[in-house]
Amino acid sequence: MCGTGKFKVLWGLETSAACPRCGDFEDHLHIPRCRAALATAEWDRRTAAFSAWLDLQLTGPSIKIAILQLLQGVRTPPSFPPRPISSSVQPAFLAQQVIGSQGLLEGRIASSWLPLQQQYYDKIRCRRSVSLWASRLSQQLVLIGFYMWEQRNSVQHSDDNVQLRERHSTVNEGIHSQFDMGPDDLPKEIRPMLTCRRRVLRKSLVDKEEWLKLLCQERRDFRRSMKAQRRSLRTIFSPVP
Ligand SMILES: [Zn+2]
């Protein structure tokens, strides 16, 4: 996840490391932890689907509780007191905690889950392969991380992007103030740019920013040249002592 805000700033591609969904500092850990409503909805959808998948794969109930609790720990610090974990899965739970939450979303699962799941398969007289269960479990966890990253990217390029929303709001304010100031201190050839406020506000973000930059520059230059003209007129017509 090198395309996070943190790395984009390090590489000089962006000036802000803000998350496009919530505006907080964004590093790889923030991707699944983002508190924006859209990110929360995505996380809830993915974890609910994962929980159903665990059932479908006949995962041992205490293994399921433990893995879901570990997964929840990726997003929020472990709840205190934590939900009770069966003593039989405690060693695997602790081994997974050592691997860490990021490791979990990279599909790195502790080997100690396998004998536990095998015991459960034996108990229910299921002949499924526990290696296959572990391999698919790993893939499912990777997919959760992937979908969170995809969701973040979909916002990055949409109108829900916090930075883009801020840029729109800043440039719109600038456009309104240019129209409010009127065309008087602008060169004649530039004044038609202030004909229709609504048309300017409907332009794309980049076009609006270009429009505003040009207007500010022209107004500044025109005011400066008028001041210079007034100064030279004063010099010409001021009475000689
Ligand atoms: Zn965020």
Side-chain angles (χ1 to χ4, degrees):
M1 292 188 186
C2 290
T4 55
K6 174 185 163 183
F7 281 98
K8 284 188 171 173
V9 170
L10 285 175
W11 295 338
L13 298 172
E14 299 275 356
T15 51
S16 161
C19 166
R21 297 175 290 185
C22 70
D24 283 355
F25 174 76
E26 183 191 59
D27 57 8
H28 66 288
L29 295 172
H30 181 79
I31 304 295
R33 288 180 183 167
C34 180
R35 291 279 148 197
L38 288 171
T40 303
E42 182 69 13
W43 178 263
D44 290 347
R45 189 164 47 245
R46 295 298 164 195
T47 47
F50 177 65
S51 173
W53 181 88
L54 288 171
D55 288 336
L56 209 65
Q57 298 300 314
L58 304 178
T59 305
S62 46
I63 298 174
K64 180 187 167 184
I65 290 173
I67 290 178
L68 286 178
Q69 189 159 317
L70 284 158
L71 188 61
Q72 218 44 51
V74 170
R75 197 163 151 79
T76 42
S79 52
F80 188 81
R83 279 183 67 193
I85 298 288
S86 159
S87 57
S88 62
V89 299
Q90 276 287 355
F93 185 87
L94 294 174
Q96 194 65 55
Q97 275 188 321
V98 171
I99 292 172
S101 55
Q102 189 56 32
L104 190 68
L105 288 190
E106 288 168 1
R108 287 191 279 136
I109 57 170
S111 59
S112 26
W113 294 113
L114 277 78
L116 294 172
Q117 179 61 26
Q118 185 62 63
Q119 278 171 26
Y120 183 71
Y121 276 164
D122 292 344
K123 186 177 158 193
I124 61 170
R125 297 179 193 280
C126 172
R127 295 170 64 84
R128 291 188 187 185
S129 156
V130 78
S131 312
L132 198 58
W133 170 84
S135 151
R136 287 177 177 162
L137 173 64
S138 169
Q139 285 168 18
Q140 289 295 315
L141 290 163
V142 169
L143 276 176
I144 294 174
F146 170 77
Y147 284 126
M148 291 306 288
W149 176 241
E150 282 285 285
Q151 195 277 329
R152 176 261 186 213
N153 288 341
S154 71
V155 173
Q156 167 85 351
H157 306 293
S158 79
D159 288 343
D160 291 318
N161 183 320
V162 174
Q163 289 105 304
L164 284 184
R165 280 211 304 263
E166 277 171 14
R167 273 172 67 191
H168 270 291
S169 146
T170 307
V171 78
N172 288 350
E173 267 177 42
I175 290 168
H176 283 303
S177 83
Q178 286 296 331
F179 273 93
D180 294 345
M181 281 187 275
D184 290 349
D185 50 359
L186 281 171
K188 274 204 175 71
E189 64 277 14
I190 296 294
R191 290 178 188 180
M193 288 180 73
L194 286 180
T195 309
C196 180
R197 187 184 298 228
R198 201 180 297 170
R199 197 184 307 146
V200 177
L201 289 168
R202 272 203 223 113
K203 286 175 183 283
S204 72
L205 177 61
V206 174
D207 286 349
K208 282 194 289 189
E209 286 174 336
E210 285 298 317
W211 183 97
L212 184 61
K213 201 169 138 192
L214 179 67
L215 259 279
C216 291
Q217 184 65 45
E218 290 290 344
R219 204 181 283 279
R220 217 167 20 241
D221 291 350
F222 189 77
R223 282 176 179 168
R224 213 172 281 154
S225 78
M226 293 307 283
K227 240 187 225 169
Q229 270 183 36
R230 276 197 292 271
R231 244 193 327 266
S232 58
L233 283 172
R234 264 201 304 273
T235 316
I236 293 167
F237 293 111
S238 59
V240 181

